[in-house]
């Protein structure tokens, strides 16, 4: 069963809504097992920003076949989600990776997406960039479509890995 993690920073309610929509789309894929987690951030008032559990550790990323990361900015340092990717001491080689953002402006959105995808590529991950053209105008529908697409790719990769063809 392909396991997929949707990991996001809980400081924005929009980010949580997108994470949930991605998970919803991923769960449409047969046998897909999907977890939604957030990176730990203490909110100013000490209240949890989300109903989602936090990721136990950066090394927990290796227990998943695919990871979809929600990021706010193109700053690779200080963004807890990207830090989690960088902090993992276990191998992420050949894991499927994708990214989503709440950034709206095209230039900012592109910078955020590619900074995270570059960090994933540095770890040897198989990239599934989000589609930009031809998407539904509704942001949540687009997120569901992205989740399904990533789960499909995770399924293909895990299926191929399960068939050890030796010639």
């Amino acid at each position: 069963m392909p396991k997929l993690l949707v990991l996001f920073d809980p400081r924005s309610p929009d980010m949580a809504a997108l994470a949930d929509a991605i998970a919803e789309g991923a769960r449409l894929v047969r046998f897909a097992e999907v977890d939604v987690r957030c990176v730990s951030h203490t909110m100013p008032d000490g209240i949890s920003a989300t109903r989602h559990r936090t990721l136990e550790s950066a090394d927990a990323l290796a227990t998943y076949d695919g990871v979809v990361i929600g990021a706010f900015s193109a700053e690779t340092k200080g963004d807890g989600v990207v830090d989690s990717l960088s902090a993992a001491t276990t191998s992420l080689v050949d894991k499927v990776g994708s990214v989503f953002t709440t950034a709206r402006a095209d230039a900012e959105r592109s910078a955020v997406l590619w900074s995270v995808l570059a960090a994933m590529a540095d770890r040897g991950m198989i990239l599934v960039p989000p589609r930009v053209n031809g998407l539904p105008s509704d942001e949540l529908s687009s997120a569901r479509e992205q989740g399904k697409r990533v789960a499909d790719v995770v399924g293909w990769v895990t299926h191929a890995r399960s068939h050890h063809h030796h010639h």
Side-chain angles (χ1 to χ4, degrees):
M1 260 193 285
K3 279 183 68 174
L4 182 65
L5 171 67
V6 181
L7 181 66
F8 70 100
D9 186 312
R11 290 177 287 183
S12 160
D14 291 347
M15 191 67 80
L18 286 175
D20 285 336
I22 285 173
E24 189 181 315
R27 288 184 181 114
L28 295 173
V29 174
R30 192 170 178 203
F31 303 121
E33 190 179 312
V34 185
D35 290 337
V36 181
R37 299 278 184 269
C38 60
V39 292
S40 61
H41 273 290
T42 306
M43 301 307 288
D45 54 8
I47 295 171
S48 173
T50 178
R51 60 184 167 72
H52 299 91
R53 293 193 354 233
T54 57
L55 185 69
E56 304 80 32
S57 72
D59 287 342
L61 293 174
T63 64
Y64 294 91
D65 300 304
V67 180
V68 184
I69 288 181
F72 280 114
S73 68
E75 297 297 318
T76 52
K77 287 292 173 214
D79 188 333
V81 182
V82 178
D83 289 344
S84 295
L85 186 65
S86 303
T89 59
T90 54
S91 176
L92 298 177
V93 171
D94 294 336
K95 304 282 186 183
V96 174
S98 190
V99 60
F100 65 99
T101 184
T102 53
R104 301 273 194 280
D106 286 346
E108 180 188 4
R109 181 177 165 76
S110 182
V112 172
L113 297 177
W114 286 106
S115 68
V116 177
L117 289 168
M120 289 177 166
D122 288 346
R123 298 302 308 265
M125 296 178 78
I126 299 166
L127 306 182
V128 180
R131 282 184 38 205
V132 178
N133 296 325
L135 285 173
S137 58
D138 171 20
E139 199 173 39
L140 294 178
S141 294
S142 296
R144 280 188 286 276
E145 186 178 295
Q146 180 181 358
K148 183 181 181 315
R149 183 168 172 247
V150 172
D152 278 336
V153 173
V154 169
W156 300 334
V157 171
T158 56
H159 179 80
R161 256 192 224 121
S162 71
H163 295 278
H164 299 286
H165 296 287
H166 299 287
H167 297 285

